[in-house]
Amino acid sequence: MELWYTEYQTKNLGLTARIKETLFAGESEFQEIAVVDTHEFGRMLVLDGVFQTSIVEEFIYHEMIAHVPLFMHPNPKTVLVIGGGDGGAIREVVKHQSVEVAEMVEIDGLVVEVSKKYLPEISVALNENHPKLRLKIGDGIKHMREVESKYDVIIVDCSDPIGPGEGLFTHAFYQDVYKALKPDGLFVQQTESPFFHQELIKRLNKDISSLFPITSLYLANIPIYPSGLHCFTLGSKKYDPATADISRIPQNLSTRYYNKEIQKSCFALPNFIQDLLK
Ligand code: SAM
């Protein structure tokens, strides 16, 4: 029997993959979790029916959410990842020599355990218990309320704005993020598709720019996400992407998507996205 899996990306459109094998299917206190093996994308993590990552193309998202903000900051030492239970973002963060502490606050311990077992290529820093890593299983929203002037860079590697991730897309959360950052800190968040989530992107941009003097959006092509075109929104207290010192990026950084040119070019926005942000 053939088994196909569809993520409904809008009410009328889906991404469907033929499944070789379902490796895990279960439910945590927060969400339904599955790992399916597919033909084109290999093993994929699915949360509440939404494809989160796949071993074939995960490098694009994880390199872009980590290296762009980390190379905008001249000397990031203390970094926080909120969410990111598959471990891909933290794997990229610990590649930075300047980083001394890489904290991760993920609400769902089962996502971490499942990723460690079925997605070892992505979760490598979690599996090795990397010396820079401080992993806390807890709510990132609550964690943000409790800290002050602690982080150089915060990376919000969250799922969609429904369920446990909903509060990560609010003005109140960005106020707490601002407070949790050092006076020259910056943060980035995955902010969905500029095709399908325009109202959300507009609102977030307004919220973030009401707090942060520098707010920018950057792009990457992520094959498994709705429309393929994905954006990240950045709020910065001091450093501007236009003046980032790209000579700091080492030639031997082991990345497959990210490079010096992309650090600059990912901020170039098509007219329809510029119009969206006006
Ligand atoms: N790259 C993915 C994407 O955009 O589809 C996101 C990857 S990661 C798996 C998202 C993680 O955020 C999930 O593991 C989820 O449990 C976690 N998460 C959601 N809400 C959270 C919260 N309030 N605090 C901490 N982690 C949260």
Side-chain angles (χ1 to χ4, degrees):
M1 192 182 70
E2 281 197 357
L3 202 60
W4 293 75
Y5 194 95
T6 299
E7 170 193 336
Y8 290 97
Q9 300 188 330
T10 74
K11 265 198 294 195
N12 312 302
L13 190 79
L15 175 64
T16 304
R18 185 146 67 93
I19 304 300
K20 282 192 204 168
E21 195 183 350
T22 300
L23 298 167
F24 178 86
E27 199 171 341
S28 72
E29 189 188 332
F30 302 100
Q31 53 211 340
E32 283 176 11
I33 303 172
V35 178
V36 291
D37 195 8
T38 64
H39 291 263
E40 277 74 15
F41 293 121
R43 277 162 281 131
M44 300 178 86
L45 175 68
V46 191
L47 298 181
D48 280 341
V50 178
F51 291 124
Q52 302 288 311
T53 193
S54 78
I55 58 155
V56 168
E57 50 69 77
E58 57 84 14
F59 63 96
I60 307 172
Y61 176 89
H62 293 127
E63 291 176 13
M64 289 302 281
I65 202 167
H67 298 306
V68 174
L70 285 170
F71 280 117
M72 263 179 69
H73 193 291
N75 191 22
K77 288 186 176 160
T78 308
V79 177
L80 171 69
V81 174
I82 295 182
D86 49 64
I90 215 84
R91 179 195 66 200
E92 297 304 311
V93 169
V94 299
K95 287 181 183 171
H96 284 247
Q97 284 197 343
S98 68
V99 172
E100 292 166 0
V101 175
E103 283 185 25
M104 179 173 148
V105 181
E106 160 64 55
I107 203 165
D108 195 337
L110 190 57
V111 175
V112 173
E113 290 318 311
V114 166
S115 302
K116 277 168 134 178
K117 183 158 180 200
Y118 296 102
L119 307 166
E121 305 86 339
I122 304 177
S123 61
V124 55
L126 306 175
N127 279 346
E128 286 171 358
N129 225 342
H130 196 282
K132 293 179 181 182
L133 174 70
R134 311 274 183 280
L135 172 63
K136 175 174 157 185
I137 301 302
D139 185 351
I141 301 166
K142 185 164 171 284
H143 181 80
M144 278 295 90
R145 286 192 209 118
E146 290 162 0
V147 283
E148 210 167 318
S149 202
K150 181 172 182 190
Y151 301 107
D152 297 303
V153 174
I154 295 174
I155 295 169
V156 188
D157 181 8
C158 52
S159 21
D160 295 344
I162 40 163
E166 196 175 348
L168 297 167
F169 293 81
T170 63
H171 190 267
F173 173 69
Y174 301 133
Q175 279 177 317
D176 291 333
V177 169
Y178 189 94
K179 173 177 68 68
L181 285 166
K182 289 184 190 162
D184 64 346
L186 58 104
F187 93 103
V188 71
Q189 178 168 21
Q190 77 80 10
T191 47
E192 313 281 276
S193 159
F195 275 106
F196 295 148
H197 307 111
Q198 298 197 342
E199 288 311 311
L200 175 80
I201 293 166
K202 269 200 238 178
R203 175 173 66 76
L204 300 184
N205 221 268
K206 206 165 135 234
D207 286 351
I208 296 170
S209 59
S210 74
L211 298 162
F212 289 82
I214 298 156
T215 304
S216 288
L217 194 135
Y218 64 92
L219 301 171
N221 287 297
I222 319 268
I224 65 166
Y225 289 172
S227 84
L229 188 65
H230 200 75
C231 73
F232 301 83
T233 304
L234 205 137
S236 173
K237 292 188 180 182
K238 182 172 174 187
Y239 305 113
D240 191 319
T243 53
D245 175 15
I246 58 167
S247 67
R248 224 170 61 68
I249 304 171
Q251 283 303 349
N252 61 353
L253 185 73
S254 61
T255 53
R256 294 173 64 203
Y257 185 89
Y258 175 86
N259 57 37
K260 282 184 185 185
E261 288 70 33
I262 284 182
Q263 176 74 36
K264 294 272 179 193
S265 65
C266 66
F267 289 95
L269 299 179
N271 291 352
F272 82 96
I273 302 179
Q274 289 185 28
D275 289 344
L276 197 68
L277 303 179
K278 272 181 193 155

